[in-house]
Amino acid sequence: MLTYAEFKRLDVYKTADVVEIFDENGVEIDDNIPEEELNAMDVTAYSVKGGWLTLEVAESIAEFE
């Protein structure tokens, strides 16, 4: 499993036109979470379709509200 910080170094991330990140409950993560916190989260799944990269991280967004 990779952290978000590690995942950002992969070509699949670097070549994506748009990146969307969702928590384990399917809630979209917005810019309210500090980058340092996001970087430490584990990426559990991803998909690429038409230049859109969608990531799922192991944590719940509710922990940060």
Side-chain angles (χ1 to χ4, degrees), residues 47-61:
S47 67
V48 180
K49 186 173 183 177
W52 288 67
L53 171 62
T54 303
L55 302 174
E56 180 183 291
V57 293
E59 287 77 6
S60 170
I61 190 74

Side-chain angles (χ1 to χ4, degrees), residues 3-39:
T3 64
Y4 179 67
E6 294 166 331
F7 196 90
K8 290 191 303 186
R9 290 186 240 145
L10 300 178
D11 286 341
V12 69
Y13 183 94
K14 292 176 183 179
T15 59
D17 294 328
V18 177
V19 177
E20 293 182 316
I21 305 170
F22 294 87
D23 75 359
E24 63 190 358
N25 298 316
V27 177
E28 187 171 6
I29 294 178
D30 58 22
D31 295 334
N32 293 333
I33 295 180
E35 187 77 11
E36 305 81 44
E37 295 288 336
L38 189 58
N39 283 336

